[in-house]
């Protein structure tokens, strides 16, 4: 018996992402760490019971997986393609201002502005400081796109930029290679080695793409960065502060 053709159910995926609560949960999981239902409920600003229903729907659709540790359940994205889909939606999604109404929310907002992960790369003040250093030291060069010079800017905060192009230089290959990153072996089938995001908090550029992800992974491996309590928040360690200064000339105040 001939098997029927199977096509992606885009409408179903869109319905799941249409819920602001489920979208917040997926965004919180986008740094790759497994999180508990209670943490995700806080992120989504819903009750634990409601969060469990949402997570069940996401698991049934194959967007998240469940890990059991004793009596606890932890959720993580099924794979990087989920984060890639969220990134793609961020490019076309309208920006919305969200008011800060508590001290806890204000503290978290400040932490996010200082240093956070934007999916799998560093963002916030730390991210843009690194990008500035890479350009000033000519590890990367910045170029206008011919198409962009003929029309109005299309770059928007919290999305990939398109108006400019950043290119890796020979000096950059050497410096990043000495830092432990083989730029010739960066995974570039799904995304380019070098691209940039328009940082929503700094309104400037931070490094994304395969190189940005590789650098961030290296920072964690060297324990220059550690995760914060809140999802996506990261903290620069003492070793990281010294390493950033000595290796890339980036001085971050405590």
């Amino acid at each position: 018996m001939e098997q029927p053709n199977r096509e992606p159910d885009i409408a179903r995926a869109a319905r799941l992402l249409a819920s602001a609560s489920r979208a917040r949960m997926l965004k919180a999981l986008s740094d790759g760490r497994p999180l508990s239902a209670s943490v995700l409920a806080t992120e989504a600003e819903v009750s634990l019971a409601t969060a469990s229903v949402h997570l069940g729907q996401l698991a049934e659709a194959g967007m998240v997986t469940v890990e059991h540790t004793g009596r606890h359940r932890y959720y993580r994205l099924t794979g990087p393609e989920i984060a890639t889909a969220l990134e793609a939606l961020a490019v076309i999604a309208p920006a919305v201002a969200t008011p800060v109404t508590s001290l806890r929310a204000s503290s978290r907002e400040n932490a996010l502005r200082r240093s956070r992960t934007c999916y799998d790369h560093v963002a916030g003040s730390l991210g843009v400081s690194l990008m500035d250093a890479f350009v000033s030291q000519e590890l990367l060069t910045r170029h206008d796109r011919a198409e962009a010079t003929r029309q109005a800017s299309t770059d928007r905060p919290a999305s990939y930029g398109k108006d400019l192009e950043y290119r890796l230089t020979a000096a950059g290959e050497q410096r990043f290679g000495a830092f432990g990153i083989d730029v010739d072996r960066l995974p570039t089938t799904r995304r380019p080695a070098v691209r940039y995001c328009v940082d929503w908090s700094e309104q400037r550029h931070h490094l994304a793409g395969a190189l940005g992800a590789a650098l961030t992974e290296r920072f964690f491996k060297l324990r220059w960065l550690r995760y914060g309590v809140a999802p996506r928040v990261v903290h620069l360690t003492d070793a990281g502060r010294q390493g950033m200064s000595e290796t890339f000339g980036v001085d971050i105040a405590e």
Side-chain angles (χ1 to χ4, degrees), residues 135-158:
V135 173
S136 66
Q137 296 169 33
E138 297 186 347
L139 308 183
L140 300 174
T141 53
R142 183 167 47 207
H143 307 268
D144 288 330
R145 293 186 187 273
E147 202 175 293
T149 60
R150 296 194 296 267
Q151 58 188 15
S153 172
T154 58
D155 281 358
R156 295 186 302 161

Side-chain angles (χ1 to χ4, degrees), residues 36-46 99-114 228-231 233 235:
S36 67
S38 59
V39 170
L40 291 168
T42 301
E43 287 298 304
E45 300 180 350
V46 296
V100 176
T101 57
S102 68
L103 178 60
R104 179 181 178 184
S106 177
S107 298
R108 178 178 173 179
E109 182 88 357
N110 289 334
L112 283 168
R113 288 176 180 273
R114 282 195 304 273
V229 175
V233 172
H235 298 291

Side-chain angles (χ1 to χ4, degrees), residues 152-197:
S153 172
T154 58
D155 281 358
R156 295 186 302 161
S159 65
Y160 285 139
K162 298 180 180 179
D163 291 347
L164 301 174
E165 180 182 7
Y166 288 88
R167 299 173 190 165
L168 184 63
T169 66
E173 289 188 25
Q174 184 176 6
R175 180 80 65 84
F176 294 131
F179 188 59
I181 298 172
D182 186 348
V183 297
D184 291 328
R185 301 183 66 180
L186 291 174
T188 56
T189 55
R190 292 178 177 270
R191 57 182 170 181
V194 178
R195 71 188 313 178
Y196 71 96
C197 286

Side-chain angles (χ1 to χ4, degrees), residues 63-126:
M63 292 187 178
V64 301
T65 57
V66 187
E67 300 175 359
H68 296 270
T69 303
R71 292 182 296 175
H72 301 285
R73 290 183 174 185
Y74 293 88
Y75 297 83
R76 68 163 70 241
L77 294 185
T78 304
E81 63 274 7
I82 308 300
T84 300
L86 292 174
E87 291 175 355
L89 286 173
V91 174
I92 62 173
V96 178
T98 55
V100 176
T101 57
S102 68
L103 178 60
R104 179 181 178 184
S106 177
S107 298
R108 178 178 173 179
E109 182 88 357
N110 289 334
L112 283 168
R113 288 176 180 273
R114 282 195 304 273
S115 53
R116 64 181 183 276
T117 51
C118 178
Y119 306 104
D120 58 0
H121 51 272
V122 176
S125 177
L126 176 59

Side-chain angles (χ1 to χ4, degrees), residues 27 30-33 112 115-124 206 216 220 225 227 231-234:
K27 188 175 181 181
S30 292
D31 64 4
R33 287 186 296 168
L112 283 168
S115 53
R116 64 181 183 276
T117 51
C118 178
Y119 306 104
D120 58 0
H121 51 272
V122 176
H206 65 245
T216 302
F220 278 110
L225 291 178
Y227 285 111
R232 299 182 64 207
V233 172
V234 296

